[in-house]
Amino acid sequence: MFSPSRLTLLALAFASSSLAASAFHRAPNNAPGAGAAYFIIDDPAQKLVAVSIAADGTLGSARVFSAGGKGLRANHVTPPGKPASLFSPGPDPLFTQNSVQVNAQAKVLVTVNPGSNTVSLFSIDAEDPTKLTQVGKAVPSGGEFPESVTINSKGTTACVLNGGAVNGVNCFAIHPTVGLVPKPNTLRLLHVNQTTPPSGPLGSLSTIAFSPDDSKLIATVKAVDLTAAGNGFLAAWSVGPDGSLSQNFTKSVPTNSPSLPFTLVPIPGTNAYFSADPGLGFLTADFGSSTSLKATTNATSIDNQVLNCWASWSPKSGNYYLSDLGTSVITEVQVDKMLNANIVKQYQLNENGGALDNHVATVGNNAFLYVMAPLAPAITVLSVNQAGNAMPVQTFNLTTALKNAGLTGYNNLNFQGMVSFIKA
């Protein structure tokens, strides 16, 4: 918790940061790209957008690709005490992080098509990462309403989290010419009581991730009730040498928070994860050892938070950055190897833009935070090189970029995802 004096200082920081962010606007950079940022949009066919990243971290021209399937929104239900304006229907169509994922080593991208219950594979052009080529056809996800994907460290396996009435995980071999090929003995159901499309965000599934050593597959499930601890959880499966998953998952239930684990960001040097929790703030989940499937959690509250749902880590500052859709505030958090957490600073973005999926990319010797602002619509870019000193770099106008890319008919409430590929 913050002291009143700390809150006063943060209020001043909000004000100065808000003025800087609203006043700072850089024209799109069309210089040769150092990489690309990717997200999806349902228009209503599922589209994949690639935006060039220049050597100075700024965003430039965009390209739009068909993802080979249909988009579909989840059903928004306003949780108690939350602002109704952010729901019905509101932004955040999938209630998840990692709807699009990239493996830089294999130069591949995987994305979900929730309306057709499929997932798609693309190859990334290493010279121009805004050039994507679909590999094979979109393949059935093994469930209903696929919403989050993960790729193992070698880029040989992709797994999907399905969040509808038939929910659970399923994995695919990544074949360079054939596409996604179902892997035997990986379809595992969670049996969460849901519908298709799912209702949420309460009670919905969130995010899937491989552990950094690829020995575990982990998924997060949100609680159905903000007032009762214990009904949200993490599910973990062991991954066999052949890529198969353990028959049953191990459940870890946070007992000291509202249990709305949303994200799974590895904490370097540990077997633990950082997770945004929109019911409270954030939590850490510690598996203890690389072989353990059971995690212990510790929750930390963020004063005046509304919907802290997305998080990423900067290797330059060493800190984590959370996006709050309800306040458009970025919260910077430091976590040490003993998993002691400390809120470092908060940054007020454009309150009319929202703050959705975020992602940190390292371009050269600099780290940049890319934040989806769907209500603008825009992407906010911040420099996150130094702890406690995130600096505005660019407010990138998506309306202009998408129009120039030939996409004019879309609903900005259906933007989701943020990931990047940076050239070696």
Side-chain angles (χ1 to χ4, degrees), residues 39-45 47 49 64 374 376-378 397-415:
F39 63 93
I40 57 175
I41 185 170
D42 164 9
D43 77 325
K47 293 290 192 296
V49 181
V64 179
N397 187 318
L398 281 172
T399 300
T400 301
L402 294 175
K403 181 179 180 180
N404 291 340
L407 183 63
T408 55
Y410 58 85
N411 183 345
N412 58 303
L413 295 182
N414 294 346
F415 291 175

Side-chain angles (χ1 to χ4, degrees), residues 7 73 80 103 172 261 318 320-321 334 347:
L7 285 172
R73 289 181 58 88
N103 181 280
F172 305 85
Y320 299 81
Y321 299 85
Q334 186 267 338
Y347 308 90

Side-chain angles (χ1 to χ4, degrees), residues 102-163:
V102 161
N103 181 280
Q105 177 178 323
K107 301 178 181 62
V108 294
L109 177 151
V110 179
T111 187
V112 298
N113 299 306
S116 51
N117 301 332
T118 61
V119 287
S120 298
L121 174 70
F122 289 81
S123 63
I124 301 171
D125 187 314
E127 296 303 315
D128 181 356
T130 65
K131 292 182 179 179
L132 302 173
T133 303
Q134 186 165 358
V135 184
K137 295 182 179 180
V139 299
S141 66
E144 296 179 359
F145 203 82
E147 55 188 0
S148 181
V149 290
T150 185
I151 305 174
N152 69 347
S153 61
K154 296 180 180 179
T156 57
T157 300
C159 296
V160 59
L161 178 66
N162 291 295

Side-chain angles (χ1 to χ4, degrees), residues 4 98 292:
N98 297 349
S292 174

Side-chain angles (χ1 to χ4, degrees), residues 209-223:
F210 276 106
S211 59
D213 65 358
D214 298 328
S215 67
K216 287 190 288 286
L217 185 68
I218 311 166
T220 56
V221 180
K222 306 180 199 73

